[in-house]
Amino acid sequence: MGRDEAALQVSALSKRFGDVVALKDADLHLATGSFHALLGENGAGKSTLARCVIGLVQPDAGRIEIDARERRIGSPKEAHDWGVGMVHQHFSLVPNMTVAENLVTSKFTGSWIIDWRREVRDLDDFCSRMPFTVDLSAPVSSLAAGEKQKVEILKQLFLGHHILILDEPTSVLTLEEADELFGMLRQRTQRGELSVLLITHKLREVFKFAEVVSVLRRGQVVARGSVQEFTSDDLAHHMVGESGLPTVVARENKTAGRTGIQVRDLVVRSDKGIDAVKGADLTVRSGEIVGVAGVSGNGQRELLEVLAGQRQATTGSVEVHGARYHATRHEMLEHGVFFLPEEPLRTASVASMTLAENLAFRGFDQPPLCRRRWVLSRDRMKSRARDLVARYRIKAANVDVPIEQLSGGNVQRTVLARELSAGVQVLVASNPCFGLDVGAVAEIHSQIMAARNRGAAVLMVSEDLDELMALSDRIIVMFEGRFVHEVAAADADLQVIGRHMTGGHHATTS
Amino acid sequence: MRAASAVLRIVPLSVGGGLFVTTVALSLSALIFGAFVASLGVDPFGVFATIYKAAFGSWFSWQNTLSRAAPLILAALCVALPARLGLVIIGGEGAILLGGLAAAVAGIHLAGLPAIVGTPALLVAGATVGGLWIGFCGVMRSYRGVNETISSLLLVYLAVTIFDHLVDGPLRDLSNVNFPSTHPIDENFKIGNIPGADMHWGLVVGCLACLAAALYMRVTPQGFAMRIAGGNPRAALALGLPVGRMVIVVCLVGGAAAGLAGALEVAAVQGRASGALHVGYGFMGILVAFLARHNPLAVIAAAILTGGIAASSGLLQRVYDLPDATAIVLQGIVFLSILTCETLYGRAGALFRWMMPGPTSRERA
């Protein structure tokens, strides 16, 4: 197969949503067997372009050619028929089905009978050739974000698509997992079996794996070419345009103060009834950020759920500012405990309630939002919401829209505004930037750093090592429910951390 | 546990959206019911006209309808209030029976006291027993994760057994030979009719309870917390809200409403506890609550509609010689239509959104 032959050719594609121009005469040439990166800020039109190709959105104008044939793609089923598959930013798995069931039923066979024994054998065989493993019998709802993302990628490869669109797939993967995954995809592209379009804003991935890069800004392709032609500054400049990159608030030098969070000998059981956290001890002092690194599914989620009050610990204790902590509303208020969870629409918002109401979740039972303990002031709730919307640049038609109508980045900003605007003393964050673009990430990092500089004790779990390295004062690695490695961020070595994350410490310590 | 009761979920919607779904569901029921009576060889339009006449055609029929609506309002609150926390309680019937029984026992044992003490006491007794009965479902749900839909339903059978045993045994008034019942309550304690109408005060009590519930949900921070916990329990926990305690309290309150319904039936209508309490008010309350989309104010309207259908049963039999189960068939069709439309709204949302006016179909342009 010729290298210049287009697996996917997009010409003059345009799409408007109401008054918003999402795509304007966008062109893209994905050569067969190439690894093509599509860069751009949130709202630049990357996802819209991908959704047009996959048949989720119909373009207003322009043509799409797959393997040199013009195609009208009415649905993902048709895209599948032409061999195009996509890993979405948000998960598209059935939560109460197992991984194996999700994979098998994703095949559009339309047959009446599923031969489960054969399917499972095929799956096992298929998984043994993959660079990472997932428990096939686990229900998807019990998986952490990172594991779900792996299943999404497995699904696409399992379906045998030869054109693969990946929409920011590594937000929740570790460095090593991402490298392994891309390494494997890259091998396949070099053999000409696969053409990959990677939507991302991580320049590291672009330079390490992509051969060709296109940059989208405000719906138009503003730069394209071979990766070697660009420096990272070039690309960043093309992405954000004239406005320039936002800068992250600097770390102030300060010695850590009193104990914020103290976790002693904590044992926590997972949904499956096995111990996910097996005796964790942890101290976070005020004025420091402690980052917890680890491959998802090693107990981080359960640990945080205990701190957030969403799960009971089996044994052990949690103290905040020296007092026993049970995650009651009163304690949260007294000690200024706040959360930045992952998937904020699912874990920290009520989708059907309005933006103003969601912004009031922390203060609705306190003055000034509540008078004489019994009367809620809607007016004050709304005016306070308008104030927060302006301060945190939340984009919404008004404060009375249900929060589910906001984009992912704006939901994240809403939760950020709610959790960080009221005297944070203890902050617990979990993958706070999952799926957000460069600008939004810088903003959230700034807010977290500012909270630390003001003296908050911050515990942050993240599967993005770059994020941990950039923000943490100390990094702790969690593996199979235990803290196996601790290092000051200044002395941290990515290779060493990566080894501990995958259990490599057994080899080095024993 | 959500999987089991997923079908019984009401999608949270704006007032307009809710009215739309309800209207579609009621139209669908009318269509199906019309086809049903037509298949029996009866003119469906005539039947609808008769239902209207029997239910709302005159002051007399209004009184009949409203009397039937009164217990349904309170019974529906036993479903609608817990539903605000995402709970599906379908065992109000048990709370009604035992609440009525408790009221009868109080009314017998407190005989001789002044009415100003006795009447409230027997109402409180009914509400307390009903509240504890359903509250037990909340306790099991909170502490042991027992599905409240199933536990409340199974508790109905237990309540029926207890009720029958006591009314037919230890508490039976042996002078009443034909029909097992308790002794009558003190005549003094009986609740009279609303002046100028053939309806007892239970209707007013029910409406006040609905009004109070609506105000509580709308105005107080506690009601706001309930909306959070009902909308997303995980988020509520992360906000430090005592979700487990809220589940128990809302079950207590819902059960108390049903218990009060039973007590009012005893104090205002029957004068004693007997099998006449066990006529399915609790189950009709489920229909009313779903028809009202668990909105306490809409419960009043839905109860009147349902009461009206029940009131028309007699006339339908006499005029068209339809079987006496016809009204029940209609109620069943309404319930299934509601559930179908709610489910379709969630799943085949595109179809409904396309039918709905407004800017939501932008994507299609």
Side-chain angles (χ1 to χ4, degrees):
Chain A
M1 253 183 259
R3 293 281 292 168
D4 285 338
E5 213 172 284
L8 174 69
Q9 172 77 49
V10 171
S11 317
L13 207 65
S14 295
K15 177 71 191 172
R16 299 167 69 95
F17 294 104
D19 299 334
V20 183
V21 178
L23 279 179
K24 197 176 161 191
D25 294 333
D27 297 318
L28 186 87
H29 176 95
L30 174 65
T32 301
S34 72
F35 200 119
H36 192 128
L38 182 60
L39 269 173
E41 284 272 277
N42 248 20
K46 296 168 300 188
S47 292
T48 306
L49 192 149
R51 287 159 68 85
C52 286
V53 173
I54 203 75
L56 283 169
V57 169
Q58 299 308 311
D60 299 333
R63 38 193 278 143
I64 298 171
E65 290 163 46
I66 295 167
D67 298 323
R69 287 243 187 92
E70 180 169 3
R71 300 287 189 196
R72 239 168 238 296
I73 304 162
S75 71
K77 165 83 172 73
E78 290 177 34
H80 166 78
D81 292 342
W82 315 128
V84 184
M86 176 163 166
V87 173
H88 295 267
Q89 215 169 336
H90 300 288
F91 307 116
S92 54
L93 300 166
V94 183
N96 52 5
M97 285 166 69
T98 67
V99 173
E101 286 167 341
N102 264 286
L103 290 175
V104 170
T105 51
S106 67
K107 297 198 293 187
F108 300 81
T109 55
S111 72
W112 287 80
I113 292 164
I114 299 176
D115 180 353
W116 281 104
R117 212 183 312 162
R118 211 193 74 215
E119 297 289 354
V120 169
R121 205 172 52 230
D122 288 355
L123 263 180
D124 281 335
D125 183 44
F126 167 77
C127 287
S128 64
R129 284 179 278 125
M130 291 295 119
F132 46 74
T133 52
V134 177
D135 179 4
L136 285 175
S137 62
V140 165
S141 57
S142 72
L143 301 181
E147 294 171 302
K148 286 184 200 162
Q149 195 67 292
K150 285 186 195 168
V151 177
E152 293 278 5
I153 292 168
L154 275 181
K155 185 168 95 184
Q156 294 305 322
L157 297 175
F158 180 66
L159 290 173
H161 293 144
H162 72 279
I163 298 171
L164 198 53
I165 302 172
L166 304 167
D167 193 355
E168 304 188 17
T170 60
S171 318
V172 290
L173 300 189
T174 67
L175 212 57
E176 287 191 349
E177 284 175 318
D179 284 2
E180 234 179 308
L181 173 76
F182 286 141
M184 185 203 67
L185 291 177
R186 172 106 193 228
Q187 265 181 19
R188 300 196 161 204
T189 59
Q190 280 168 343
R191 277 190 257 136
E193 298 168 0
L194 194 67
S195 312
V196 172
L197 181 64
L198 170 66
I199 296 173
T200 184
H201 53 252
K202 287 187 186 168
L203 296 175
R204 193 190 76 87
E205 291 171 358
V206 176
F207 283 108
K208 195 158 178 189
F209 296 101
E211 300 151 336
V212 188
V213 59
S214 297
V215 183
L216 266 179
R217 189 171 79 230
R218 282 193 224 119
Q220 287 179 295
V221 176
V222 291
R224 82 189 87 199
S226 153
V227 169
Q228 289 94 328
E229 294 167 28
F230 296 99
T231 66
S232 54
D233 283 347
D234 290 343
L235 289 180
H237 182 77
H238 284 305
M239 275 164 73
V240 295
E242 307 306 313
S243 55
L245 270 176
T247 48
V248 175
V249 171
R251 181 190 309 275
E252 282 169 23
N253 251 333
K254 61 194 306 178
T255 47
R258 64 171 171 160
T259 304
I261 308 172
Q262 172 92 55
V263 173
R264 285 206 183 92
D265 203 24
L266 200 70
V267 177
V268 188
R269 209 162 279 165
S270 76
D271 289 339
K272 293 179 201 157
I274 52 168
D275 286 343
V277 180
K278 302 166 183 165
D281 289 281
L282 174 76
T283 308
V284 185
R285 298 181 174 283
S286 66
E288 74 167 347
I289 298 176
V290 173
V292 177
V295 180
S296 61
N298 275 286
Q300 304 97 312
R301 179 174 140 180
E302 286 79 6
L303 172 70
L304 286 201
E305 282 178 347
V306 169
L307 293 176
Q310 295 170 332
R311 190 179 285 275
Q312 298 288 318
T314 314
T315 59
S317 68
V318 179
E319 290 172 17
V320 169
H321 296 152
R324 275 301 285 268
Y325 178 74
H326 309 90
T328 63
R329 196 162 173 86
H330 178 74
E331 289 168 342
M332 287 178 186
L333 187 73
E334 185 185 340
H335 298 296
V337 184
F338 291 91
F339 299 98
L340 293 179
E342 61 184 50
E343 298 184 69
L345 189 61
R346 207 171 65 84
T347 50
S349 322
V350 177
S352 58
M353 288 172 81
T354 68
L355 174 58
E357 288 172 335
N358 271 280
L359 278 168
F361 281 3
R362 282 291 177 189
F364 71 86
D365 51 358
Q366 304 298 323
L369 294 189
C370 161
R371 284 168 296 173
R372 280 174 260 122
R373 285 195 64 221
W374 283 97
V375 186
L376 199 61
S377 167
R378 296 264 155 195
D379 291 341
R380 288 181 200 172
M381 191 189 277
K382 280 187 193 174
S383 66
R384 187 168 162 279
R386 278 186 214 105
D387 175 45
L388 287 174
V389 164
R391 255 167 63 203
Y392 286 82
R393 295 192 293 282
I394 300 164
K395 286 195 198 95
N398 58 60
V399 297
D400 295 322
V401 295
I403 195 169
E404 63 192 340
Q405 290 179 11
L406 269 55
S407 72
N410 281 312
V411 173
Q412 193 84 335
R413 277 203 196 94
T414 304
V415 173
L416 195 75
R418 182 180 83 207
E419 300 293 306
L420 294 183
S421 57
V424 188
Q425 296 175 53
V426 172
L427 180 65
V428 178
S430 168
N431 293 309
C433 302
F434 175 44
L436 299 186
D437 66 66
V438 194
V441 168
E443 208 174 298
I444 289 172
H445 285 179
S446 289
Q447 296 281 356
I448 293 176
M449 187 58 82
R452 168 210 176 266
N453 289 345
R454 285 197 303 268
V458 182
L459 178 67
M460 183 168 80
V461 168
S462 176
E463 282 144 36
D464 181 349
L465 275 183
D466 295 337
E467 179 173 58
L468 287 177
M469 295 292 273
L471 290 181
S472 307
D473 294 283
R474 267 192 298 145
I475 293 180
I476 294 176
V477 180
M478 197 164 186
F479 178 71
E480 290 188 347
R482 292 196 174 83
F483 296 134
V484 293
H485 181 63
E486 179 174 341
V487 64
D491 308 328
D493 178 342
L494 274 182
Q495 299 304 320
V496 176
I497 289 178
R499 204 164 61 235
H500 282 284
M501 282 166 63
T502 49
H505 61 287
H506 293 306
T508 51
T509 50
S510 62
Chain B
M1 72 135 268
R2 286 291 137 218
S5 47
V7 191
L8 295 175
R9 286 280 293 187
I10 291 284
V11 199
L13 287 175
S14 64
V15 174
L19 271 178
F20 173 77
V21 174
T22 311
T23 312
V24 171
L26 287 177
S27 314
L28 183 66
S29 327
L31 216 65
I32 298 173
F33 181 70
F36 166 71
V37 291
S39 77
L40 296 176
V42 175
D43 168 29
F45 297 102
V47 167
F48 286 124
T50 307
I51 291 179
Y52 177 80
K53 216 173 84 192
F56 311 110
S58 66
W59 173 230
F60 174 79
S61 46
W62 264 103
Q63 289 182 81
N64 187 3
T65 296
L66 290 176
S67 313
R68 288 168 190 269
L72 297 185
I73 293 176
L74 287 167
L77 282 182
C78 182
V79 182
L81 294 180
R84 290 275 143 165
L85 270 186
L87 302 170
V88 183
I89 297 275
I90 57 173
E93 183 79 5
I96 291 176
L97 286 181
L98 295 184
L101 186 62
V105 170
I108 296 160
H109 284 271
L110 299 177
L113 288 176
I116 191 96
V117 183
T119 307
L122 72 84
L123 293 183
V124 167
T128 307
V129 169
L132 290 176
W133 192 252
I134 300 297
F136 181 53
C137 299
V139 170
M140 288 195 290
R141 166 96 189 114
S142 261
Y143 288 101
R144 308 300 313 163
V146 177
N147 182 313
E148 76 286 351
T149 313
I150 293 172
S151 71
S152 66
L153 179 63
L154 293 182
L155 280 175
V156 171
Y157 297 105
L158 193 57
V160 170
T161 313
I162 294 173
F163 183 88
D164 285 348
H165 169 69
L166 291 178
V167 171
D168 208 1
L171 297 178
R172 179 160 183 181
D173 177 3
L174 292 171
S175 65
N176 199 347
V177 185
N178 297 326
F179 196 56
S181 77
T182 62
H183 292 273
I185 61 170
D186 188 328
E187 200 59 32
N188 232 345
F189 299 162
K190 289 196 84 174
I191 297 172
N193 280 347
I194 300 170
D198 189 19
M199 297 178 283
H200 64 79
W201 286 98
L203 182 71
V204 177
V205 174
C207 291
L208 286 178
C210 287
L211 198 66
L215 263 181
Y216 183 84
M217 295 299 299
R218 178 75 199 161
V219 173
T220 68
Q222 292 80 355
F224 191 79
M226 270 181 69
R227 288 178 59 204
I228 298 176
N232 187 346
R234 282 176 62 81
L237 285 170
L239 293 165
L241 294 172
V243 178
R245 204 166 68 210
M246 289 159 78
V247 163
I248 296 171
V249 169
V250 82
C251 286
L252 278 171
V253 175
L260 189 58
L264 282 167
E265 270 304 287
V266 168
V269 185
Q270 323 264 354
R272 53 176 78 203
S274 72
L277 265 182
H278 183 23
V279 289
Y281 291 134
F283 295 117
M284 267 157 83
I286 303 171
L287 165 65
V288 171
F290 274 81
L291 192 56
R293 313 190 83 252
H294 307 317
N295 177 329
L297 287 183
V299 158
I300 300 174
I304 292 173
L305 183 65
T306 312
I309 293 173
S312 66
S313 173
L315 199 58
L316 283 184
Q317 281 178 61
R318 267 176 278 134
V319 177
Y320 291 99
D321 199 24
L322 284 167
D324 65 343
T326 307
I328 297 172
V329 169
L330 177 54
Q331 286 171 359
I333 291 174
V334 170
F335 192 55
L336 286 179
S337 303
I338 293 270
L339 292 185
T340 308
C341 289
E342 292 290 341
T343 309
L344 281 182
Y345 196 90
R347 308 277 157 80
L351 176 72
F352 272 84
R353 258 171 257 140
W354 172 73
M355 286 164 65
M356 257 182 99
T360 39
S361 52
R362 185 192 293 164
E363 187 60 40
R364 305 174 55 84

